[in-house]
Amino acid sequence: MSEAAPGADFESFVLETIEAFSRLARAQAGDLHSAQDAVQDVYLNMYRRWDFLTAGQGSLTAYGRTAVKRAVIDQFRRNKRMVMVPVHELPEKESGIGAPEAAYEMIKEGIDELVESLPERQR
């Protein structure tokens, strides 16, 4: 008899409940990104406690719904303490590596020159 892969039950649980949890979080949060964050936090916490949760007698879906509601409330409380300050000037655009665009172009040109100076086999 083959044993199920670890996490297989959790994966099927996520696939079954992702839409319902997302709708619930979106209805409470009102913001798509906050709702997605709340649902991801809930799944992360449930995955950490999966063995304990499956050993219990309660409904995993009910537990998840309650956890989503509480996660949205926690996010609201956290964000309530943050003070939003409008920015009058946008910062200089950075490239994907965290350097300003002009500096990135200079570095890229330098790297291209160094690669060209290598012998053919080392390129």
Side-chain angles (χ1 to χ4, degrees):
M1 182 158 102
S2 66
E3 190 173 318
D9 294 335
F10 179 75
E11 185 176 342
S12 63
F13 172 75
V14 169
L15 293 174
E16 292 172 8
T17 59
I18 186 79
E19 291 180 27
F21 287 0
S22 297
R23 280 193 308 267
L24 176 64
R26 178 75 190 266
Q28 282 196 307
D31 175 24
L32 176 64
H33 300 293
S34 297
Q36 290 173 341
D37 289 345
V39 171
Q40 287 178 2
D41 288 343
V42 167
Y43 282 136
L44 177 65
N45 292 333
M46 287 184 77
Y47 181 76
R48 289 179 183 155
R49 303 184 65 212
W50 189 248
D51 292 334
F52 175 76
L53 293 173
T54 55
Q57 299 299 320
S59 167
L60 292 172
T61 307
Y63 179 89
R65 281 194 305 263
T66 303
V68 168
K69 291 176 188 175
R70 290 181 178 168
V72 171
I73 291 170
D74 288 346
Q75 280 184 343
F76 175 75
R77 288 179 180 159
R78 246 190 327 259
N79 292 340
K80 191 175 176 183
R81 288 184 229 137
M82 292 176 31
V83 177
M84 301 292 178
V85 179
V87 178
H88 297 289
E89 293 182 26
L90 294 176
E92 184 178 344
K93 182 180 175 187
E94 294 186 4
S95 66
I97 61 171
E101 202 62 43
Y104 175 73
E105 289 300 323
M106 288 175 37
I107 292 170
K108 186 178 173 189
E109 289 173 8
I111 290 173
D112 290 341
E113 290 173 10
L114 289 174
V115 169
E116 289 297 321
S117 68
L118 292 172
E120 186 66 35
R121 277 187 76 148
Q122 290 182 347
R123 281 188 231 159

